[in-house]
Amino acid sequence: MKIAVVVGSTRPGRRSRQVADWVMARATSRGGADFEILDLADYTLPLLDEPMPPSLGNYQHEHTKAWAQAVARFDGFIFVTAEYNHSVPGVLKNALDYLYAEWNNKAAGFVSYGSAGGVRAAENLRLIAGELQMADVRAQVALSFATDFEGFTAFKPSQAAEEALEPLLEQLISWATALAATRK
């Protein structure tokens, strides 16, 4: 199993990379799958500029083809997302919208953060994942700026956050494994 930890923000001063690095360290030490960072900052995806709907898989632009190839390699995803205005960062929504088949029949888990733990962003992602035919797991990690970030900037996960990550990893690996047969 190959699981991507998706860094869902490209904003200067973003917290998502700190959180993704924590998820990676915990996931790698736990085992059960191969984990890799998939950082949206490494891909130059303008606002969706493909002339055909992604569900047709007829990608015209090299940036789309590169993104599709990167995403297709994985069996599941842990989306690390900030909450911007009760939703996901625009760059994450745009990256999801670029593709279709590459997301299908794969597992998705969510690690969110914000003033209210980023839970509204995670709920938005659950709706998007459903439309992309992804199976989202129930367990999630919701990180609060008040309890999981020192001075609202340096990520210092609470004990509750540490404990919440294990069930997310367990469920995600289980679902990714089960869904592999649907993609044969």
Side-chain angles (χ1 to χ4, degrees), residues 74-168:
F74 296 100
D75 301 295
F77 303 90
I78 299 171
F79 293 98
V80 175
T81 185
E83 182 173 309
Y84 294 168
N85 299 318
H86 290 218
S87 190
V88 299
V91 69
L92 178 54
K93 177 66 166 90
N94 189 53
L96 288 161
D97 287 347
Y98 256 91
L99 308 175
Y100 183 71
E102 294 80 3
W103 301 116
N104 293 175
N105 299 313
K106 296 181 180 181
F110 309 107
V111 175
S112 59
Y113 64 93
S115 60
V119 296
R120 296 167 293 218
E123 288 304 306
N124 274 248
L125 280 173
R126 288 182 191 284
L127 294 171
I128 296 164
E131 182 60 23
L132 294 172
Q133 297 189 49
M134 298 177 81
D136 61 302
V137 301
R138 181 181 185 277
Q140 77 180 58
V141 179
L143 305 166
S144 169
F145 279 134
T147 58
D148 296 296
F149 292 84
E150 194 172 89
F152 296 91
T153 56
F155 180 57
K156 304 283 187 200
S158 64
Q159 186 62 35
E162 294 281 354
E163 292 170 3
L165 186 56
E166 178 56 31
L168 184 151

